[in-house]
Amino acid sequence: MTGPVASAPPLLARVRMLLGRALQVYGGGPPAHALRDAAVRLDEPLRVAIAGRLKAGKSTLLNALVGQELAATDAGECTRIVTWFRDGHTYRVMAHPRHGPPRQLPPGPSGSLLDVDLGGWRAEDVDRLVVDWPSAALRTLTLVDTPGMDSLSTEISGRSETALGTDEGAGSQVDAVVYLMRHVHTSDIRFLEAFRDDPAERRPINTIGVLGRADEVGHGRPEALESAARVARRYSEDPRVRGLCQTVLPVAGLLAVTAATLREDEFRALGAVAAAPEVDRERLLLTAGRFVGADDAFGLSHEQRAALLDRFGLFGVRLGTRLVVSGVATTAGALSRELLDRSGLVPLREALATRFAARAEVLKARSALLTAEAVLRRHPVDPASGLDRELEQISASAHEFAEVRLLDRLRAGELMLTDQERRDAECLLGAEGVDPASRLALPAEAPSADHVRAAQAALTRWQRRAEHPTSVREVRDAARVLVRTCEGLLLGATGWSPPRPAPAGPVAPVHPARPGAGVRR
Amino acid sequence: MSGKQAPSAAARHAVETLDLAVKGAKAYERDDLVQRLSSARRLLTDSTVTVHVVGEFKQGKSSLVNGLLTAPVCPVDDDVATCVPTEVRYSPHVTASATFESMPGSGGSGWTETIPPGEIATYASEAGNPDNKRRLTAVTVGLDRPLLSSGLVLVDTPGVGGIGSVHHATTVGSLPQSHAVLFVTDASQELTAAELRFLRTVQELCPTVVLVLTKIDLYPHWMRIAELDHAHLQRAGVDIEMIAVSSELRSLAATAGDQALNAESGYPALVGRLGRVVAEAERLALDAVVVHVVSAIDQMEATATARRDALVDPANAAALLARLSATKERADALRERSSKWQVLLQDGFADIASDVEFDLRQRSRAVLHEAEAAIDDGDPAKNWEQFEEWLRERLAGEAMENYALFVRRAKEVAATVGEHFELAESEIVTARTVAAPVDLVGGLSLDAGFTNKKAKGALGAAFNKTYGGVLMFTMLPAIVGLAVPLPVGLLGGALLGGHGYREERKRQLERRRQEAKTAVRRVIDDFNLQVGKDSRDAIRHVQRELRTSWGERVAELQRSAAAALSAAQAEAKGGESDAGTRERIESDLATLQRLRARIEDLRGHLARIRTAEAPAAAPAAEAGVPA
């Protein structure tokens, strides 16, 4: 998919073959289990963890992405068990205890995790919950909800780390991470710490940052979301953040989940609030306490108003009311669309699709190679020595990895390139999307002639850079990777093939020069 | 412009009494007592009450200060705002001044200049002064507000850098001089591990800490959060009160002049609490005044009584003289080097010095181990800056806690010595004048030269990014106290490489690690040396201060005893026993009696306030917190 050079065998096939051979060597031994898991994972959806500090809004964001209130949320610290959400035929919750076989849990009366009964187990006995839920959103991605870091309960924090980190040295459990952060100062060392999740596998390529609870930035004033967007933009331009994640997006998780699950009665309740005289409305919407506590307001009971506030937040109620009053939202559907539009969820979904799902193959292959590597290191047996070399071969020679690696280096600001060159290079490598049009920065409907022209221009540019006598070695190497990318794009657009024989092409010598530097990054 | 604009009735009473006592002491030609009483007078008239507002970034500290003053003094922004500490004190006219730091290397001591009050934001805010490019150390604002007129000084601190940073630690270093600390945390979430740890340290440094829960208008579940915070504090053994407020409502109330809204904002409780802080500070000063005046009266009375007794009853003169001699001997004994309090003080401080030093070494050793482990796990060529930042922060934090240990121990020793002193005026001299040595940490320089060497050698860069980011991530947990598993994902990436390259890379990495470790060890050595020197100085300083102040008391007592003895001796030797002298002495004694009655009045008043407040304080403290 991402491999523009058609002649190379598909990456996943090679990884699968490697795993198969490793299984033959270790079959029956203790590492076999991990290897088999890794092989199975190659055919499963990409695993994306939602991580972040305590109360960043992880579960709320997960609910928003699934479009269903699946994960329990609360004002206090809530999520205490790592929970996987994956696509399934019916709703089913499996509890995997630390010791012993997994067991299915009876569904709670409300059909969500809000009230699932652990069946006699304590939270600390359970390693993870796996929830099957039929959902289109989960078809391409399996989502993993994690307990917060910097929790006052060290044990809970530790649990997150094992979940995201490694399982008995067998590589990372997840392929990519959505990192939620609250609004913090960039010179705060904990801002950077905020990116620490699994100490193992964190690269910009598999991380998206999210500024969560965007509706609370700026004290929930009407311009809160604009302020949040400003903050997020500043973060994503910070060079230190660039080296840690692909981008930072502001998302008002609560708005998004409410928009996705908006009920007709809630719309009516908002309508009742909107129908009240402006003076009353302003007076009662001043504080959360007033809105709930006032007697006989808007013809809604205390409970109704408290429920409304729980679902929308004070900002959401104000925004919803404003939308109804101004006539923008005349039906529940319209209101839902408007809220969703403002929540920032759509850009996040797109980012997940273009930045994670489209690269799923590379990310998964990488996870699998990591597992294999861990096994080989842990159990160095004689028959496995050949595997060692083969693994290195795959990670060094696959152009997909070279691209990902280069992209990471670019984002970390390691190469001496001009800003323009860097942007150009990042784009070619698929930072904005891996389809040819995005790589060439062309509109999606551009004719193939444009593709050819743009690819050719880029090819010439990078060839020149690769051969330029003043280019330092790192830049020359980088330029060669880009040349190969351009060649692939050109090939895709015209069927044109490079003038040199591919196996001994200019790129080949580059990779052996940096062996082992591949997947492990 | 500082000072009390409106002293309370009790304070006025105390000042008058003091003036009378000074007159008496002058009449008795006791200059030492005159001096002591005059300095007690200054406690009442010239004191300010400093309250620091601290907390994490974006919790609403500046809004809180603005809310308290109902004036937009401190800049507030949706994104970052305050970048330098802002001090607000009383002034009949609006004034503002900025204190600048001199350029590094110039060796200057900095300067202060007046700035237009309208331009405070351009100096104190991140927008006007990004990364503090203007090198400000503080902004001082004078404002005409009744709240400030009692001598209250509010200090808004920047949240930039977080509560653990060196930057912030410098602020924290001045907390022992602070009368109260308002710790600000918002109602969006419960306290974090870092916040709680900070609170524990602050509690040791400052007598009064109030947790202010802000933004309660925005969060319907703020009561739950307050309960959770209460529970966290209780579990951690941090006993502080909590007040919940909404700055948004307060400012609306101020604009609209709406009393109900003001009450709803929770601010009246906070203002009341600050009032109590001020009153408490005044009462502490009054307590000291009472002790000083009583002691002075006792001493003057002793002399007068001795004379009178010798005059009235010459027959008993021998017994009287014997008693007075004994008193004098006791006072002399107290003064001698070998007396017990001296030994106690000496031994106590020797113990402190060794304990504090040991504690410091242990702490720095722990940091060193962590740093080395982190270096072994990663490549120091990457993220050296963050590493450095981490190291500084870590060392600053350790220095703070070490300092807190010293303050605590010094107070303990002072109390023990005081007990043995058996004097009414053994009021503890605290370590208030000693600042924490944390600002030193910022000055330590870390040799980062070797990070440039990574590019040398043909394959130097091959390894580059493998370790990016990880170094600091594995280190940071120490700050928040998390146990992080080893970064298995690193799995020594080198192992899969071709042999030749691998060896070369490994060698280079090893060298970088060694150099990094050497640099860290040097810094920690420096740290031990400088902070150790600083804390030894501080210890000596406090010890000397205690010895001097007690020595003065002893000298005074000695003088009183000697005066009484010699007076009695003179009268007993058959001086003229005329009625005039006796009458004069009687009238002196009567004056002293009156003074004593006045002081007893004051003491009774203070006791009454205290007992009246004790039951009243409890519900007041609970007022901000739901049942």
Side-chain angles (χ1 to χ4, degrees), chain A residues 228-242:
Chain A
R230 196 153 49 92
V231 173
R233 204 155 46 239
R234 192 166 53 77
Y235 285 170
S236 51
E237 281 162 11
D238 189 303
R240 289 172 303 176
V241 179
R242 281 179 49 83

Side-chain angles (χ1 to χ4, degrees), chain B residues 86-426:
Chain B
T86 310
E87 204 178 280
V88 191
R89 48 171 71 233
Y90 181 83
S91 155
H93 313 289
V94 182
T95 58
S97 64
T99 308
F100 292 86
E101 184 184 28
S102 56
M103 287 305 277
S106 71
S109 57
W111 68 95
T112 302
E113 62 186 53
T114 310
I115 56 173
E119 285 179 24
I120 293 168
T122 53
Y123 287 85
S125 83
E126 187 84 356
N129 181 10
D131 294 327
N132 195 9
K133 289 223 169 60
R134 297 178 178 217
R135 308 187 62 79
L136 257 76
T137 51
V139 170
T140 308
V141 182
L143 210 59
D144 174 20
R145 281 287 179 282
L147 181 70
L148 302 174
S149 67
S150 52
L152 185 70
V153 176
L154 288 170
V155 184
D156 180 26
T157 60
V160 174
I163 49 178
S165 69
V166 179
H167 191 79
H168 195 257
T170 327
T171 316
V172 174
S174 56
L175 288 189
Q177 276 111 297
S178 176
H179 288 79
V181 171
L182 301 182
F183 182 86
V184 180
T185 178
D186 72 24
S188 71
Q189 69 173 69
E190 45 200 299
L191 288 169
T192 63
E195 283 179 319
L196 204 59
R197 191 183 142 153
F198 180 75
L199 272 173
R200 259 200 298 254
T201 313
V202 169
Q203 203 199 6
E204 290 206 341
L205 294 175
C206 184
T208 311
V209 183
V210 180
L211 187 101
V212 183
L213 193 69
T214 56
K215 307 187 188 174
I216 57 166
D217 57 311
L218 198 54
Y219 298 99
H221 297 291
W222 68 268
M223 293 201 184
R224 275 278 317 282
I225 301 290
E227 276 165 35
L228 289 168
D229 284 353
H230 250 309
H232 286 317
L233 290 171
Q234 220 154 37
R235 259 199 305 282
V238 180
D239 178 29
I240 57 175
E241 50 194 294
M242 190 190 291
I243 295 176
V245 301
S246 159
S247 307
E248 191 81 0
L249 286 187
R250 168 82 165 182
S251 76
L252 280 175
T255 351
D258 186 337
Q259 275 309 317
L261 206 55
N262 187 33
E264 204 179 328
S265 75
Y267 266 80
L270 185 60
V271 172
R273 185 66 189 82
L274 283 178
R276 287 219 307 285
V277 168
V278 174
E280 184 55 38
E282 187 186 88
R283 272 202 297 282
L284 283 177
L286 286 175
D287 278 344
V289 167
V290 168
V291 169
H292 287 300
V293 173
V294 166
S295 155
I297 294 172
D298 279 349
Q299 295 181 37
M300 289 188 277
E301 214 173 38
T303 317
T305 319
R307 281 184 71 184
R308 189 197 55 189
D309 288 359
L311 275 176
V312 169
D313 193 0
N316 263 342
L320 177 67
L321 286 178
R323 214 173 62 235
L324 288 171
S325 305
T327 311
K328 183 175 178 292
E329 266 158 37
R330 262 213 316 281
D332 286 347
L334 270 177
R335 196 172 196 185
E336 261 164 41
R337 244 195 108 56
S338 60
S339 63
K340 194 159 184 202
W341 71 270
Q342 297 249 20
V343 175
L344 269 178
L345 187 67
Q346 204 101 46
D347 288 357
F349 270 81
D351 285 353
I352 292 181
S354 109
D355 286 359
V356 166
E357 172 147 7
F358 177 72
D359 180 72
L360 183 70
R361 286 201 179 264
Q362 213 173 19
R363 285 173 188 281
S364 62
R365 187 135 100 220
V367 176
L368 180 67
H369 285 327
E370 264 169 55
E372 288 189 337
I375 289 170
D376 277 336
D377 283 341
D379 180 349
K382 301 278 103 198
N383 299 89
W384 185 250
E385 265 176 46
Q386 282 93 335
F387 175 79
E388 211 181 313
E389 208 174 310
W390 171 85
L391 188 65
R392 276 181 207 290
E393 183 164 312
R394 196 81 174 68
L395 289 175
E398 297 300 340
M400 274 316 304
E401 287 183 18
N402 179 255
Y403 173 64
L405 171 79
F406 160 60
V407 172
R408 196 177 62 229
R409 294 288 310 273
K411 282 182 183 167
E412 278 169 17
V413 169
T416 330
V417 175
E419 275 169 29
H420 280 264
F421 213 49
E422 288 173 356
L423 286 176
E425 64 263 42
S426 62

Side-chain angles (χ1 to χ4, degrees), chain A residues 152-507:
Chain A
L152 271 169
S153 131
T154 328
E155 200 212 336
I156 292 181
S157 289
R159 199 169 294 161
S160 252
E161 273 143 27
T162 23
L164 296 168
T166 56
D167 182 19
E168 285 149 22
S172 180
Q173 291 269 355
V174 295
D175 304 306
V177 177
V178 170
Y179 201 94
L180 264 146
M181 54 188 147
R182 298 282 300 274
H183 185 194
V184 286
H185 193 265
T186 37
S187 81
D188 190 335
I189 191 151
R190 268 160 308 130
F191 172 76
L192 298 163
E193 169 208 16
F195 287 90
R196 174 182 64 85
D197 60 337
D198 55 333
E201 250 319 275
R202 179 58 91 93
R203 305 300 312 133
I205 187 66
N206 65 359
T207 307
I208 291 178
V210 167
L211 178 69
R213 299 175 77 158
D215 48 343
E216 289 173 12
V217 172
H219 209 89
R221 277 183 284 268
E223 66 278 8
L225 296 177
E226 287 80 33
S227 286
R230 196 153 49 92
V231 173
R233 204 155 46 239
R234 192 166 53 77
Y235 285 170
S236 51
E237 281 162 11
D238 189 303
R240 289 172 303 176
V241 179
R242 281 179 49 83
L244 292 165
C245 66
Q246 295 198 18
T247 183
V248 181
L249 300 167
V251 177
L254 190 61
L255 276 193
V257 71
T258 307
T261 57
L262 187 70
R263 293 190 306 266
E264 195 59 47
D265 63 310
E266 287 169 336
F267 177 70
R268 276 200 304 276
L270 275 184
V273 176
E278 194 176 343
V279 189
D280 286 358
R281 223 168 44 225
E282 276 197 1
R283 187 170 52 84
L284 293 172
L285 281 175
L286 196 54
T287 73
R290 283 188 176 198
F291 184 68
V292 176
D295 288 323
D296 189 33
F298 311 120
L300 301 169
S301 70
H302 290 288
E303 291 72 30
Q304 276 176 312
R305 276 174 276 147
L308 209 55
L309 208 51
D310 272 344
R311 287 268 290 158
F312 286 81
L314 192 58
F315 177 83
V317 173
R318 286 177 188 159
L319 176 65
T321 318
R322 228 173 25 246
L323 287 171
V324 175
V325 170
S326 64
V328 174
T330 48
T331 62
L335 180 63
S336 162
R337 267 193 306 282
E338 288 295 327
L339 290 179
L340 196 66
D341 196 38
R342 286 170 166 78
S343 69
L345 188 72
V346 178
L348 176 64
R349 274 218 183 104
E350 273 168 17
L352 285 177
T354 57
R355 292 170 199 255
F356 285 169
R359 270 195 207 276
E361 211 165 303
V362 189
L363 295 174
K364 280 195 287 190
R366 210 171 58 141
S367 296
L369 287 186
L370 270 162
T371 307
E373 182 198 340
V375 167
L376 291 179
R377 281 230 15 219
R378 224 160 212 261
H379 310 276
V381 291
D382 234 20
S385 60
L387 291 174
D388 208 354
R389 210 154 301 130
E390 191 179 330
L391 196 150
E392 182 200 320
Q393 187 77 27
I394 298 178
S395 57
S397 67
H399 182 64
E400 291 91 330
F401 283 141
E403 283 190 334
V404 166
R405 221 151 41 215
L406 180 57
L407 196 53
D408 280 351
R409 299 193 60 194
L410 283 169
R411 294 203 63 94
E414 280 184 28
L415 293 174
M416 298 260 292
L417 294 174
T418 63
D419 278 355
Q420 176 57 44
E421 278 177 328
R422 205 197 64 227
R423 267 195 299 275
D424 182 33
E426 280 182 20
C427 197
L428 277 173
L429 293 171
E432 305 299 325
V434 290
D435 57 303
S438 305
R439 280 170 183 258
L440 293 169
L442 294 171
E445 66 281 1
S448 74
D450 284 1
H451 278 238
V452 174
R453 211 171 309 122
Q456 235 151 14
L459 180 62
T460 323
R461 214 162 43 237
W462 287 108
Q463 259 169 351
R464 212 172 284 151
R465 199 79 167 91
E467 282 147 28
H468 201 284
T470 60
S471 293
V472 293
R473 187 191 170 93
E474 280 92 1
V475 172
R476 285 209 300 276
D477 290 350
R480 284 199 200 102
V481 174
L482 286 162
V483 164
R484 184 151 165 200
T485 300
C486 294
E487 285 171 356
L489 288 169
L490 208 49
L491 184 69
T494 61
W496 170 91
S497 65
R500 291 159 297 220
V507 205

